[in-house]
């Protein structure tokens, strides 16, 4: 199975399955001399853990992060950083009836076709959202790299079940379990979740990402444009079905005079481009949005087929979230951090070659 590594200079490889012994990641390219601890990584991983809220899976994994290599006496050494998270709350019996059935909306059918019928049906195996736990751990290391250059990334829920957040109160994000920046919208989102639980259904939504402090110049035209790599990283998350940069699809409805961001002697006058022009960061805030599909594992009866191509009605058992939101929010942050860390290191290589040890500040 190829395609398990991501990035060029800051490169992450993940391994493991939902109901396997453990999941892990190997992070290459992290510079030496950065302070790093299991506690620092754990803080990010804990944001993804299931909480005691209605609509979240009762599977209670400890998600304890162990650093296996690449850190000595509290500092990164520049060698590959190995991370492992052991699965401790696995109940595979609930998936026995899915051994020969393709779940609608899941990767069961496509994995079966790609790998000639060999697949781990327990919890979705490698295609499970469980795989993202080590992405968040790797993203914490990327966060540590970005901190050295004053770059921050925050993601938050702006839509869930048709409820849209109008406000962007970033201080409220960590005051509620949905990471929503709008208190009124948060309360209505909670009502939608309760309704979905009663109906045995699931919900989709939208997550917005804000990256601040990104210097101008990150991105590699033509095929490694910054937004192209960001889109690839975000689309690699199983539940994500769409990515927008800046105004996104709304730009198709605008005139050039409306969509272009005017420039003054002090900088850009607006940011419809979302902080990226020509595939290169402009120095403005990078603004992205991702569309998150509803969780396909629902308690409602669904039509499907089995391995014998017989039509069957399926009711999925097991422990599942009603929505990938909010647990996908730290995963989104992690993927954006990985991309920015990778392109930051690539740009620093350019600057070192030019014997310029800091980013140029065009605006003085």
């Amino acid at each position: 199975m190829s395609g398990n590594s991501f990035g060029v200079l800051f490169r992450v490889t993940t391994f493991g399955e939902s109901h396997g012994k453990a999941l892990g990641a190997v992070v290459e390219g992290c510079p030496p001399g950065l302070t790093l601890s299991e506690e620092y990584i754990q803080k990010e991983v804990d944001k993804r853990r299931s909480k005691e809220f209605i609509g979240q899976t009762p599977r209670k994994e400890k998600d304890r992060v162990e650093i296996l290599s690449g850190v000595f006496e509290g500092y990164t050494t520049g060698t590959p950083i190995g991370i492992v998270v052991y699965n401790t709350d696995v109940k595979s019996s609930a998936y026995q009836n899915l051994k020969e059935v393709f779940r609608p909306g899941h990767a069961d059918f496509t994995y079966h076709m790609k790998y000639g019928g060999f697949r781990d049906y327990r919890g979705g195996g490698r295609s499970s959202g469980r795989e993202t736990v080590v992405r968040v751990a790797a993203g914490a290391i990327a966060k540590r790299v970005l901190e050295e250059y004053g770059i921050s990334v925050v993601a938050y829920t702006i839509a869930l079940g048709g409820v849209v957040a109008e406000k962007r109160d970033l201080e409220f994000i960590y005051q509620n379990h949905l990471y929503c920046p709008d208190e009124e919208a948060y309360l209505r989102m909670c009502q939608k979740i309760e309704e979905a639980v009663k109906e045995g259904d699931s919900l989709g939504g939208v997550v917005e990402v804000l990256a601040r402090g990104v210097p101008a110049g990150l991105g590699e035209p033509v095929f490694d444009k910054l937004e192209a790599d960001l889109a690839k990283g975000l689309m690699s998350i199983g539940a994500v079905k769409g990515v927008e940069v800046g105004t996104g699809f709304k730009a198709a409805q605008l005139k050039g005079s409306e969509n272009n961001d005017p420039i003054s002697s002090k900088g850009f006058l607006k940011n419809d481009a979302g902080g990226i022009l020509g595939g290169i960061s402009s120095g403005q805030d990078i603004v992205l949005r991702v569309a998150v599909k509803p969780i396909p594992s629902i308690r409602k009866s669904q039509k499907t087929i089995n391995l014998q191509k017989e039509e069957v009605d399926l009711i999925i058992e097991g422990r599942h979230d009603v929505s990938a939101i909010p647990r996908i929010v730290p995963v989104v942050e992690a993927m954006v951090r990985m991309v920015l860390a990778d392109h930051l290191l690539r740009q620093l290589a350019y600057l070192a070659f030019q014997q310029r040890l800091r980013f140029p500040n065009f605006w003085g």
Side-chain angles (χ1 to χ4, degrees):
M1 183 181 190
S2 61
N4 297 288
S5 298
F6 182 78
V8 178
L9 294 188
F10 188 91
R11 188 166 178 83
V12 177
T13 301
T14 72
F15 62 88
E17 294 83 31
S18 176
H19 285 222
K21 185 174 182 179
L23 297 109
V26 177
V27 179
E28 300 175 272
C30 180
L34 298 181
T35 56
L36 185 67
S37 66
E38 291 178 349
E39 290 74 22
Y40 180 89
I41 297 174
Q42 192 67 55
K43 186 177 179 180
E44 293 301 314
V45 171
D46 284 345
K47 294 177 183 178
R48 182 198 164 280
R49 289 186 65 209
S50 175
K51 309 298 192 302
E52 297 293 337
F53 290 99
I54 187 171
Q56 295 199 16
T57 175
R59 179 175 177 176
K60 300 302 178 188
E61 291 286 356
K62 295 180 180 179
D63 287 348
R64 302 310 301 175
V65 176
E66 292 186 27
I67 297 177
L68 304 179
S69 63
V71 178
F72 182 66
E73 296 183 341
Y75 291 90
T76 58
T77 63
T79 59
I81 300 174
I83 299 170
V84 67
V85 175
Y86 289 99
N87 291 325
T88 60
D89 187 23
V90 173
K91 296 180 181 179
S92 302
S93 58
Y95 294 91
Q96 196 63 36
N97 67 322
L98 301 175
K99 185 176 182 179
E100 297 188 354
V101 177
F102 301 121
R103 295 170 297 172
H106 278 276
D108 298 343
F109 176 76
T110 49
Y111 266 58
H112 177 82
M113 297 302 295
K114 182 170 183 64
Y115 299 109
F118 294 94
R119 66 179 176 92
D120 185 347
Y121 59 86
R122 303 167 304 167
R126 183 91 175 121
S127 68
S128 170
R130 176 76 183 142
E131 178 266 342
T132 62
V133 64
V134 287
R135 296 197 196 197
V136 176
I141 299 173
K143 178 183 179 182
R144 187 66 195 85
V145 174
L146 297 175
E147 284 177 340
E148 294 295 306
Y149 289 85
I151 300 171
S152 65
V153 176
V154 60
Y156 40 87
T157 303
I158 61 169
L160 179 64
V163 177
V164 179
E166 300 296 336
K167 298 179 182 178
R168 296 293 187 273
D169 182 358
L170 300 187
E171 293 185 0
F172 184 64
I173 293 172
Y174 298 112
Q175 297 177 26
N176 68 91
H177 80 288
L178 295 180
Y179 304 125
C180 177
D182 184 331
E183 185 173 3
E184 182 181 346
Y186 164 69
L187 296 174
R188 289 189 287 128
M189 289 175 183
C190 290
Q191 292 177 347
K192 287 290 185 179
I193 291 173
E194 292 179 4
E195 293 171 4
V197 170
K198 293 177 182 178
E199 297 169 358
D201 220 326
S202 61
L203 302 171
V206 178
V207 174
E208 187 170 85
V209 195
L210 177 64
R212 289 175 164 170
V214 180
L218 302 193
E220 304 290 338
V222 170
F223 295 111
D224 288 354
K225 286 183 170 70
L226 185 58
E227 69 258 61
D229 281 356
L230 286 167
K232 179 179 180 179
L234 292 169
M235 288 293 292
S236 73
I237 304 171
V240 172
K241 300 299 290 183
V243 177
E244 281 191 336
V245 181
T247 54
F249 279 91
K250 291 182 180 178
Q253 305 170 14
L254 302 176
K255 297 177 181 178
S257 57
E258 298 171 317
N259 186 63
N260 294 341
D261 296 330
I263 310 174
S264 74
S265 60
K266 297 182 180 180
F268 293 89
L269 300 182
K270 64 183 181 70
N271 190 22
D272 283 350
I276 302 174
L277 291 167
I280 302 171
S281 60
S282 66
Q284 293 181 278
D285 292 344
I286 292 178
V287 183
L288 308 162
R289 283 173 295 280
V290 296
V292 181
K293 74 174 184 178
I295 292 288
S297 291
I298 59 177
R299 289 186 288 107
K300 284 189 171 184
S301 178
Q302 302 178 82
K303 292 189 178 298
T304 187
I305 60 171
N306 57 25
L307 293 179
Q308 291 74 41
K309 298 183 180 180
E310 298 169 333
E311 295 183 0
V312 296
D313 292 323
L314 175 66
I315 295 180
I316 298 176
E317 300 177 359
R319 299 170 294 174
H320 308 284
D321 294 302
V322 165
S323 176
I325 294 172
R327 298 177 65 204
I328 199 174
V329 172
V331 183
V332 170
E333 288 180 342
M335 294 310 303
V336 172
R337 285 169 178 157
M338 287 184 210
V339 174
L340 293 179
D342 187 36
H343 278 278
L344 174 68
L345 294 176
R346 292 161 79 170
Q347 183 67 3
L348 287 173
Y350 281 134
L351 298 181
F353 181 77
Q354 298 169 4
Q355 296 183 343
R356 295 162 65 186
L357 301 181
R358 63 182 181 85
F359 288 103
N361 186 349
F362 182 82
W363 305 108

